[in-house]
Amino acid sequence: MENGGDDKMEIIAYEMKFHKDIIEQSNILCIPFEEKYFPSYMCIYNECFYEMRKAHLPCDVVERPNSIVYPAVANLVLDSLKYRMAQQNDDGRWPLGWSFGDDKGLKRLQTKYETYCTLAMLEKLDRFDMIEK
């Protein structure tokens, strides 16, 4: 959007169209978000991810060595990073510890998310100078 000096405004709009074949059918029911269901959503979310959320380590909280709290917990952070390094799979990814599901599409999505988590872990290890170069 541009605003010229003559009080005229130009608006540029783009249209996106899907020009491929129909996506394979799924048994997943998608419904729009409704505020009235939010407490139910939160309950389901909390039940699903409770185990994952309670497993935080110092390295999950302290993102950088220049963090204000790092000097006080440096040994804990470095030990927890070593622990995380030991969890790396043989294929190089870090496992999530939980599954998206058995559907082929969900398995692909999980692989992509594990790849994202792996890149984030490698960046963190690099910030803490724990990757050989």
Side-chain angles (χ1 to χ4, degrees):
M1 186 172 3
E2 293 180 16
N3 190 358
D6 56 0
D7 291 331
K8 291 184 181 179
M9 186 179 297
E10 179 183 4
I11 299 175
I12 300 172
Y14 296 94
E15 180 181 15
M16 295 177 61
K17 291 185 178 181
F18 184 73
H19 295 289
K20 301 286 182 178
D21 293 335
I22 295 175
I23 298 172
E24 64 185 64
Q25 293 297 316
S26 170
N27 62 354
I28 299 173
L29 175 64
C30 295
I31 58 171
F33 174 81
E34 293 187 39
E35 192 69 38
K36 66 182 180 181
Y37 296 121
F38 184 74
S40 297
Y41 296 152
M42 285 305 299
C43 183
I44 292 168
Y45 176 87
N46 286 333
E47 286 177 21
C48 290
F49 297 107
Y50 173 76
E51 291 298 319
M52 180 184 66
R53 286 194 332 267
K54 75 175 188 177
H56 286 293
L57 296 172
C59 67
D60 298 332
V61 178
V62 179
E63 288 291 322
R64 301 178 178 283
N66 63 354
S67 166
I68 193 167
V69 299
Y70 180 70
V73 294
N75 289 340
L76 295 172
V77 171
L78 295 175
D79 286 347
S80 63
L81 282 169
K82 290 174 188 171
Y83 172 77
R84 287 284 192 232
M85 289 170 70
Q87 292 178 316
Q88 188 177 22
N89 282 344
D90 291 338
D91 67 1
R93 287 182 288 149
W94 270 270
L96 297 178
W98 46 275
S99 172
F100 279 31
D102 294 326
D103 177 77
K104 184 172 74 170
L106 292 175
K107 285 183 177 186
R108 283 196 312 261
L109 180 62
Q110 180 167 340
T111 299
K112 289 180 181 186
Y113 187 65
E114 285 177 341
T115 302
Y116 164 80
C117 293
T118 296
L119 291 173
M121 178 58 69
L122 291 171
E123 285 180 335
K124 182 176 280 194
L125 291 170
D126 188 47
R127 284 193 301 268
F128 284 89
D129 199 28
M130 296 185 75
I131 294 180
E132 291 182 31
K133 296 179 183 176

